[in-house]
Each structure stands twice: as C-alpha cells, then as structure tokens.
Amino acid sequence: MHILRPIKDSDFNALRQIAAESGHGFTSLPVNDDILREKIQRSEHSFAKSLSSPQDEGYLFVLEDSATGDIMGTTAIEAAVGMTVPLYHYHLGKTVHHSPTLKVYNTVDILSMCNDYTGSSEICTLFLREPYRKGLAGRFLSRSRFTFMADHSARFSDTVIAEMRGVSDEQGHSPFWQWLQEHFFSIEFPQADHLVGLGDKVFISELMPKYPIYANLLSKKAQDVIGQVHEKTKPALRLLEKEGFEHRGYVDLFDAGPTVEAKLTNIQTVQASHVATVNICQVEKTQSFAISNQQLQNYRATFTDQVCYHSHENVIDISKDVAAALNVSNGDTVRIFRL
C-alpha cells in the first residue's frame, strides 16, 4: 500500500537521495544537508502549530511503500509565500507604440518584475522517483495535496500557485538566464539556481534590472522559452491544468518557467472530493478511491481498490488493513475522491 504522510526526521536519508535525483532547476530541494534538515524540522513544527490563518509554514510530505518502507517521492505546500523573503516574478504584459501621424501601431511584449503573489499558498517539491512512475502514484501524490488543503483551509490562502520548472539543457543551462547573465550578471545559471535553493535571494534585488524588459530585445532562444516548461515537467503541468490551474503571464526570473494559479475552492479535486463515514468490514464489492483521514500531525492518505462507497448512506466500507494504514476507526470520517 502507498501511504502519504508528513515527513519525519528519520526520512532524512531518503529526502537527500530525492534531492540528488531531482537535478538542476529543482530549487526547493538543494543537495545541502543543513537545509534539508531545516526543511524537515520546519515541517514538523508547522504540523504541530495551532493556527487560524496562514503564516510562514511549510508542510512536507513523503509517499511511502508500506510493504518495503521505501520512500517513493515527496511533495510540499507553502502556506503563504513571500512573507519573510520576497517572492519575485516577471509578469509578461504589453505596451503599445502608436503614431497616428506615421500610421504606425505596434504592440510589444514586456517583462516587469513584481511581487504579486505575496501571501499566496504554493504547492511545490513534487517529485516521484523513477522506479515508481507507473500507475496512479504520481496522480495521487499531486491531487492529495488539495484534499489536505480542503480539510485545513484556514491554514491556506484562497489563491494557490505552482511554479513550474522552465527550460534548461542537460548541464542545467537556461537560454533565458544566458541572456540575463550576459547583460546583468556574471554567474552561471546552476550557481544562481543553487543560491535560490539555499534561500540566498539578496542578489536578485541587487542585480536584477529594475525597469521593464522589452521581450523583443532578448535573444531568439530566450524569447522562445518564456512561459515554457522543462520536458520532465510537462506531465505535472498537465495534471495541474486538469485541476483548473491557469497561466496568467507570470514567469520565473531565472528560467522563465510559468507560474500557474487557481482558487482553492475552484480546484477540481476539491470540488470532486467529499467527506464520508467509515465502516470497517470485509469488503465484498470493491471500488477504487483515494482516501485521507482528515487529521493534521497524524495525517495519512492512500489509494486502494479494496473499498466500497454507498452514496445513499454516505458510508464507505474499508478493510481492516486500510483502516490500520489510515489510523481510523468505525464512525470516523474520511475525505474521498476517485483517481
């Protein structure tokens, strides 16, 4: 059985392995022991807090194979971004150059640096290890974040964003960054990327151009990748688009990858999921559902075809094994949705 749960200190080695496997551009998991340990501790503190509004919390989860104990992947939610360290984006807009005398009318794309997503909740750090990228595990890992947010909505913002990894080559070089580096910086993209992962963002405000950038002045290669995602990120983007996330012109400062957004209550999984009452029994007629126990520190979620939902009674029959994995008893409530 695949169990999604909050990360704990004993998962450090597995998280470090995931950080190493994630590669360039995955800034939320740098290969740095101190920062990874700090992320685990911050997550444990966040789950333990009593809150009525989102603050500077980070919730980090792992997906575990209960049969082997192997950690298959990870994902995270930031409750409110940009509250302690500024969150920068470029917004792709337009400006018009118009001369009635010369009968000239030109529209030009411009990139303006902004902090428009300050206070939004962010889903991030979604990574499923290569051997487990089959079946429903990736879809479950992505969608279960939304049911957790639905059950604990006071801890999160109404606006949910996801920063998607932009285009870079196998060596980690970004065409968009190469243009910025040539004109404004003297460091390579992997180094800048690494600094952001370490939380060192001072150089952004110090060196980034303060005025809007005319996109047509960028190199052709840089223009072509604005709002485009890395090849390995395309499946994750498709999942989010099915959930109702949209790209509204915001892109990353370094690789120009798109940031997508949705209102929490409009997310498809949130709307499709609902709360049902548990009945532990021998399941005779089986159906497939994803199930979460609605708890906080003891949060558990799984997906299984060994359950049966009775819509008229709003009761879900689950086996003893599934109940034990979710840490629920007869009469408890769970949130369910179909994968």
Side-chain angles (χ1 to χ4, degrees):
M1 198 175 301
H2 299 164
I3 306 297
L4 186 66
R5 59 168 175 80
I7 200 167
K8 53 189 180 182
D9 188 63
S10 58
D11 297 317
F12 169 76
N13 289 333
L15 186 65
R16 196 182 193 287
Q17 180 64 33
I18 288 173
E21 292 177 7
S22 61
H24 297 295
F26 206 78
T27 56
S28 57
L29 280 184
V31 185
N32 181 292
D33 287 5
D34 291 339
I35 289 191
L36 294 178
R37 290 192 186 280
E38 183 181 316
K39 284 180 176 290
I40 293 174
Q41 292 172 2
R42 178 169 174 251
S43 178
E44 290 178 325
H45 292 156
S46 296
F47 277 102
K49 285 183 180 180
S50 177
L51 298 168
S52 59
S53 62
Q55 299 174 27
D56 185 33
E57 294 84 41
Y59 304 91
L60 186 57
F61 305 83
V62 290
L63 184 62
E64 180 181 9
D65 185 334
S66 62
T68 63
D70 291 341
I71 299 301
M72 306 162 58
T74 185
T75 191
I77 310 169
E78 288 291 322
V81 293
M83 304 300 286
T84 55
V85 178
L87 179 70
Y88 296 100
H89 284 92
Y90 274 132
H91 184 257
L92 185 63
K94 292 184 181 295
T95 187
V96 174
H97 295 262
H98 179 214
S99 172
T101 303
L102 299 178
K103 297 182 180 180
V104 172
Y105 185 96
N106 291 323
T107 59
V108 182
D109 291 333
I110 58 171
L111 293 166
S112 303
M113 196 163 74
C114 66
N115 307 103
D116 290 358
Y117 281 129
T118 298
S120 300
S121 294
E122 179 184 8
I123 54 170
C124 54
T125 322
L126 178 68
F127 188 82
L128 189 63
R129 300 179 65 191
E130 190 73 39
Y132 305 104
R133 293 176 188 172
K134 298 176 182 178
L136 298 174
R139 187 177 302 177
F140 169 74
L141 191 59
S142 176
R143 296 183 66 185
S144 291
R145 298 174 294 187
F146 305 129
T147 55
F148 179 84
M149 297 175 80
D151 282 325
H152 306 283
S153 58
R155 291 174 172 262
F156 302 102
S157 169
D158 292 336
T159 300
V160 184
I161 67 170
E163 295 184 306
M164 312 307 294
R165 183 176 173 184
V167 175
S168 61
D169 62 23
E170 293 181 358
Q171 287 71 45
H173 297 111
S174 159
F176 186 78
W177 175 263
Q178 286 175 345
W179 184 88
L180 285 175
Q181 177 190 351
E182 179 182 347
H183 294 280
F184 300 100
F185 293 86
S186 299
I187 57 175
E188 297 285 341
F189 175 70
Q191 183 182 354
D193 199 45
H194 182 65
L195 288 172
V196 171
L198 297 179
D200 184 0
K201 300 182 181 181
V202 175
F203 74 97
I204 297 176
S205 59
E206 291 175 337
L207 298 177
M208 273 291 181
K210 306 299 187 295
Y211 299 101
I213 297 174
Y214 280 70
N216 61 350
L217 299 181
L218 275 65
S219 68
K220 180 64 166 59
K221 289 183 178 179
Q223 292 182 53
D224 288 344
V225 300
I226 295 174
Q228 302 301 309
V229 296
H230 192 281
E231 191 66 29
K232 292 183 178 179
T233 306
K234 288 181 178 179
L237 178 60
R238 285 195 292 268
L239 284 175
L240 291 179
E241 289 174 338
K242 288 180 180 178
E243 293 287 349
F245 280 76
E246 298 176 333
H247 180 216
R248 297 188 175 178
Y250 293 91
V251 300
D252 184 78
L253 291 187
F254 300 143
D255 61 18
T259 291
V260 293
E261 66 171 275
K263 294 298 181 183
L264 178 57
T265 53
N266 291 340
I267 294 173
Q268 195 275 332
T269 293
V270 173
Q271 294 187 340
S273 68
H274 62 278
V275 176
T277 302
V278 167
N279 177 44
I280 302 172
C281 62
Q282 182 175 343
V283 181
E284 297 180 357
K285 181 182 177 183
T286 59
Q287 299 168 313
S288 296
F289 277 92
I291 313 173
S292 60
N293 65 6
Q294 297 191 282
Q295 297 178 37
L296 188 61
Q297 284 181 274
N298 294 317
Y299 172 81
R300 297 291 185 274
T302 190
F303 62 96
T304 175
D305 59 2
Q306 298 302 308
V307 298
C308 182
Y309 175 61
H310 305 280
S311 57
H312 294 298
E313 298 87 0
N314 195 32
V315 169
I316 187 164
D317 294 340
I318 64 175
S319 68
K320 290 182 179 179
D321 289 343
V322 174
L326 292 172
N327 192 26
V328 295
S329 304
N330 265 321
D332 286 348
T333 59
V334 291
R335 184 174 289 272
I336 64 175
F337 65 92
R338 292 184 183 272
L339 277 178

